[in-house]
Structure formats: C-alpha cells, structure tokens
Amino acid sequence: MEILGLIGILVALILFIVLVYKNCVSYWSVMICVAIVALTNQLNPLEALTKTFVGGLTDLFLQMFSIVFCGAILGKLFTDVGAANSIATALIKRFLPGEDTKNKIFQAVLILFIFNGLCTMGGIDGYVGIFTMFPIYMLVCKKCDIPRRFLPGMMFLNCMFMAAPGAPQIHNVMAVAAMNSASAAAVEEGAIPFFVNTTAGLIPGWICVVIIAVLSLTYMPRAIKKAQAKGEHFDAGGCEMIERDTSNLPHWFVSLLPLVAVFVCYSILHLDIFWALTIGIAATVILMGKYLPRQDVRGNRISLIQSLVNSLNMGAGQYPNALLSVITPSGLAAVVTSTAAFGLVIGIFYGMSAAVPMALVALIATCVIVALTSSPPAALMIVLPNIIVPIALQAGVDMTVNAAIFTRIAAIAASTFESLPFNGMCVMLMGVSHCTIKESYKPMGVISVGFTLIGAIICTILAIIAPGLFAIG
C-alpha cells in the first residue's frame, strides 16, 4: 500500500502544478491535492484537511510570523518614504546612461540585481518585495525596452541572497532554527551541543552566492537581447505605471541606513529577527518619516501621523496574503509527511548514508523534500531535525564540525525546487505582472531552479573536499 500512497503523493503534486499552471488559485487547489494524498494513503480525508493540514499551517505560522509581518511593514514604509526610489534612482544615474549603449541591457539587469540584493539583505521580505519593488522594475524595463515577460525572472535575481549566510530571510532563518532545534533535542539525550549562528558556512556560502550571481548576470541579458532581436518590446499590458516625483526623496545614503541596521542587528549582533526588523522599521520612521506622502488616495491633505498610520495599515494588510502564500504548501507537506509512504522516502536516505558522504545526503534529501512539499521552511524543519541530524548522530559524525556544513547546504538546496510553477511567489508574480506561467517561467526557472541547484552542488563539493572552509562563521 505504501507504493500506492507514494504514487498518490506524486499525482497530487503534479496535479497541483497543473492547476496552478492553469491559473487556479492555490488555496483551493491544494485542498483537492490533500484529498488525493489522504485517499491513496488510507487517511481520513476530513481529519487530513481539518487537523493535519491546518496543523501544518499553524506550526509554520508561528515560525514565520515575525519575518513576514515585520518585513511587510518595513517594505511598505521603505517604499512610502521614497527610500526604495532613492536607491534605485541613484543606481540608474550611476549605471544607466541616457544614451543607448551596447551594454545597456546588462546595466539594467545589474541595477535591478544590486537593488534587489540590498533590499533582501536588509530584511525586506521577498514576497512583500514583489509589491514594493514592482513599480521600479517596470520603469527600468520601460526605459530599456525590456519585454514584460522577463520581469518575473528579473525579480528572482535576489534568489541567491535568500539563503546567503547572514541574510535576514526565510531560508537562512529557518535553516538555523531547524539545526538549533535539533541540537536542543540532541542535548537532552546527552549529545554535545552543536548550535549554529546565522552566518554558519560563511565562506562557502558566499562563494555559492557569487557563482549564482555571475551565472544569472550572464544569462538574463543574453535572453533579453535574443527576445529583442526577434522583435519583442516592452508593453505595460494591464500593469499600472506609477512614476513618483524624484525631486523630494531622501538621500540614497540615508535610505540605506535602515537596511544596514537590520543586517548588522541580525547577522553581526545576532538579535532575534523580530527585533532586527523592528529596529529597521524604527530607523525608517525616524530618519525618513518626514518624506511620507501627505495626501490620501483622494488627494486630501493629511497629517504626518495619519500618513504613518496609513502606511502601517497597508503594510500590515499585505502580510496575511504573503504569509498564507508561504505556508499553504506546508499544509500539504504536513499531510504528505504523515503518511506511511513518506516513510519509504526517509528509509532511502538512511540507506543512502552508508554509501555516500553525509553532505551529499543533505543535498539530495533537501532537494527531494522541497520538491515534494514546495515549502522551504517546511522542508528545512523536516530534513535537518528528522533526517540529517539523526542519521549523522547514529553514524557518529562530529556535529560540532558538520552542523554548519549541513545548515548551509540545506539552506541553499531549499532554494532550488521551491520555485516550481505552483510556488506561491511564482503565482503572485504572474498575477502582479499580468504574465502567464507559460510565457514567463523559463527565465525564472533557469535562475531560481537551475542556477541555485548548481550553487547547492558546488557547496556540497566544497563540504566534501574542504570541510575546514565551513569552520568560519
């Protein structure tokens, strides 16, 4: 029956991809897939939906609330005070001259790469960034006549930073949390502590970030130029073009300070992500609050306090949908991992550990689980505490040395198959940009799946041939 159950899991996941590909909303599509998994694995469908599925959502909600909620507010404030526009304007003036040059497309992609990287490393949640950064991406695409179908792919130019050592982002935060929870459980059973911090695997992690960045900055301009040569041009489609007055913006250096504050607090001082993002929010209000718009949507004059309240309201209003998009696949993951068929997958990894290095097991296990669940947070909380650490301890692996290795490999590997077409961020991007999966997914998939997989493989190779590199962090 486990074989039938495993087939059911695969059918459900494929159906999930197809439904989302056909523009079906993932919130109800996932319910059908949960029912398929339950029926083929002899689970009670009602309990699978109302208890296991909802339980999976609740567990991840507790883990993800701070980073998505605070990241949403920070992202909204950062946009409303004009800080995002200030940084983007400074980059455009520096890297994108008014006249046409043969490197104009590369320069445009480079601008968006730097801008997105700064926001990502500064704590603005990737999901929220879709809305806060989208107008700037549209303006750059219009300026350089870049076809709109490449916009979703370019907004994934930050994917390598999501799992970078020190990044105040979901992949890094959850990988560290998962390893430390495994360490706490192992200590209770008498093991030597092997806690890690947010910069675990510092050197190899950033080597992989650089490699993925180089690949992305090489591929994307070539793909855009090829499309332009075929006669493709920019069109706004159904997207609204919003051009903000750039005459009254904070200085670009001041605009960077909240992002720097978040990075320093989280990555160097190792404060909790909630406090790091809260400090970033406070810094944005204190340093640039006077730049908040003083008119409401009807053009009526409002006070500075009311403008701040409006921004806080809208930022907080964005987080429920962003959070639900993140955690919805984790409900399906909870149902999948509760089946006996999933035990077959776990057994394969236990058997594999006797024949290949544990670093390779960590890579394969994370890629497989994130593909099965489409949820990096859920996959990390499954793989590290329930597969990698138990296998490693059973085999006598020195976790004080290898904890950082497994943490960084898992964090980067979780960035691979998370962005399959049915992933929440992919769906949101397609909706915002008025593109379809069929026309826009290829450049997105090449960067977020193909290049991140290459980075994860390189990280694993470094762990096997030069494990000492992971000692720094």
Side-chain angles (χ1 to χ4, degrees):
M1 292 303 295
E2 285 82 2
I3 298 298
L4 175 62
L6 189 58
I7 293 173
I9 292 171
L10 294 175
V11 169
L13 292 171
I14 293 172
L15 178 62
F16 197 16
I17 294 175
V18 172
L19 289 174
V20 174
Y21 186 84
K22 295 294 185 181
N23 295 321
C24 298
V25 177
S26 61
Y27 302 150
W28 64 262
S29 301
V30 73
M31 302 295 183
I32 298 175
C33 299
V34 167
I36 293 173
V37 172
L39 292 172
T40 55
N41 283 273
Q42 297 183 314
L43 302 178
N44 184 313
L46 183 61
E47 288 189 3
L49 283 168
T50 60
K51 293 184 179 180
T52 310
F53 176 78
V54 175
L57 297 181
T58 304
D59 290 343
L60 199 57
F61 176 89
L62 297 174
Q63 297 283 344
M64 302 302 303
F65 173 78
S66 294
I67 189 169
V68 178
F69 176 69
C70 294
I73 292 177
L74 175 60
K76 182 58 179 172
L77 283 171
F78 203 70
T79 301
D80 285 355
V81 299
N85 283 74
S86 177
I87 295 171
T89 300
L91 289 170
I92 289 172
K93 288 181 178 178
R94 174 64 181 84
F95 294 105
L96 199 60
E99 68 276 5
D100 288 335
T101 66
K102 64 178 182 179
N103 294 323
K104 190 171 185 177
I105 299 301
F106 172 78
Q107 291 166 324
V109 174
L110 179 63
I111 287 170
L112 297 177
F113 169 78
I114 296 173
F115 175 67
N116 214 339
L118 289 172
C119 292
T120 301
M121 295 305 294
I124 295 178
D125 178 66
Y127 284 79
V128 178
I130 292 174
F131 303 100
T132 59
M133 301 176 197
F134 182 77
I136 294 170
Y137 275 70
M138 283 288 288
L139 291 175
V140 173
C141 287
K142 179 181 179 181
K143 186 178 181 68
C144 298
D145 195 30
I146 297 174
R148 181 168 41 86
R149 71 180 181 90
F150 287 97
L151 198 151
M154 289 194 294
M155 292 198 74
F156 262 73
L157 287 170
N158 71 326
C159 65
M160 72 283 302
F161 294 110
M162 298 294 290
Q169 293 293 334
I170 292 171
H171 300 72
N172 191 48
V173 172
M174 293 305 298
V176 172
M179 181 57 74
N180 287 340
S181 69
S183 178
V187 168
E188 291 182 359
E189 298 180 3
I192 299 174
F194 47 88
F195 294 101
V196 297
N197 60 38
T198 60
T199 54
L202 180 66
I203 294 177
W206 275 101
I207 289 174
C208 294
V209 168
V210 171
I211 291 172
I212 298 170
V214 170
L215 291 172
S216 300
L217 291 174
T218 301
Y219 164 78
M220 186 60 77
R222 290 182 177 178
I224 293 171
K225 288 181 180 180
K226 185 177 179 180
Q228 289 178 332
K230 292 181 178 180
E232 294 187 44
H233 301 281
F234 173 81
D235 70 278
C239 302
E240 183 181 0
M241 294 290 295
I242 301 175
E243 300 192 35
R244 175 166 176 160
D245 179 15
T246 59
S247 62
N248 185 34
L249 295 176
H251 192 274
W252 65 266
F253 180 78
V254 177
S255 300
L256 283 174
L257 293 180
L259 304 181
V260 174
V262 173
F263 180 79
V264 170
C265 290
Y266 179 72
S267 304
I268 298 177
L269 301 180
H270 301 301
L271 297 183
D272 184 85
I273 189 65
F274 173 82
W275 292 116
L277 290 172
T278 300
I279 290 170
I281 292 170
T284 302
V285 174
I286 293 170
L287 294 174
M288 296 174 285
K290 65 181 181 180
Y291 292 99
L292 284 167
R294 302 295 292 275
Q295 290 183 329
D296 62 16
V297 293
R298 297 179 179 178
N300 299 320
R301 183 74 175 174
I302 59 176
S303 67
L304 183 60
I305 296 298
Q306 185 58 54
S307 180
L308 175 60
V309 170
N310 289 345
S311 291
L312 293 174
N313 286 344
M314 294 181 69
Q318 288 178 348
Y319 105 87
N321 188 49
L323 184 59
L324 194 58
S325 296
V326 175
I327 67 176
T328 293
S330 72
L332 177 59
V335 177
V336 169
T337 55
S338 70
T339 64
F342 189 74
L344 290 177
V345 180
I346 303 297
I348 291 172
F349 296 132
Y350 270 87
M352 184 186 302
S353 64
V356 301
M358 276 300 303
L360 184 57
V361 177
L363 169 67
I364 296 174
T366 306
C367 287
V368 169
I369 302 303
V370 81
L372 290 175
T373 62
S374 187
S375 172
L380 291 168
M381 294 303 293
I382 292 169
V383 171
L384 289 173
N386 300 308
I387 299 177
I388 302 305
V389 171
I391 293 176
L393 291 175
Q394 182 178 317
V397 173
D398 184 0
M399 288 300 294
T400 59
V401 175
N402 286 276
I405 292 176
F406 301 146
T407 300
R408 190 53 50 203
I409 290 175
I412 298 175
S415 303
T416 56
F417 299 109
E418 67 144 330
S419 50
L420 294 175
F422 57 80
N423 177 264
M425 184 176 285
C426 293
V427 176
M428 289 172 66
L429 264 175
M430 297 305 161
V432 171
S433 60
H434 291 252
C435 295
T436 65
I437 292 287
K438 184 177 182 179
E439 66 184 359
S440 291
Y441 184 74
K442 180 182 176 181
M444 179 191 300
V446 168
I447 291 174
S448 63
V449 177
F451 294 160
T452 53
L453 181 58
I454 292 173
I457 292 171
I458 291 172
C459 190
T460 304
I461 293 172
L462 290 174
I464 295 172
I465 65 175
L469 285 176
F470 289 82
I472 301 174

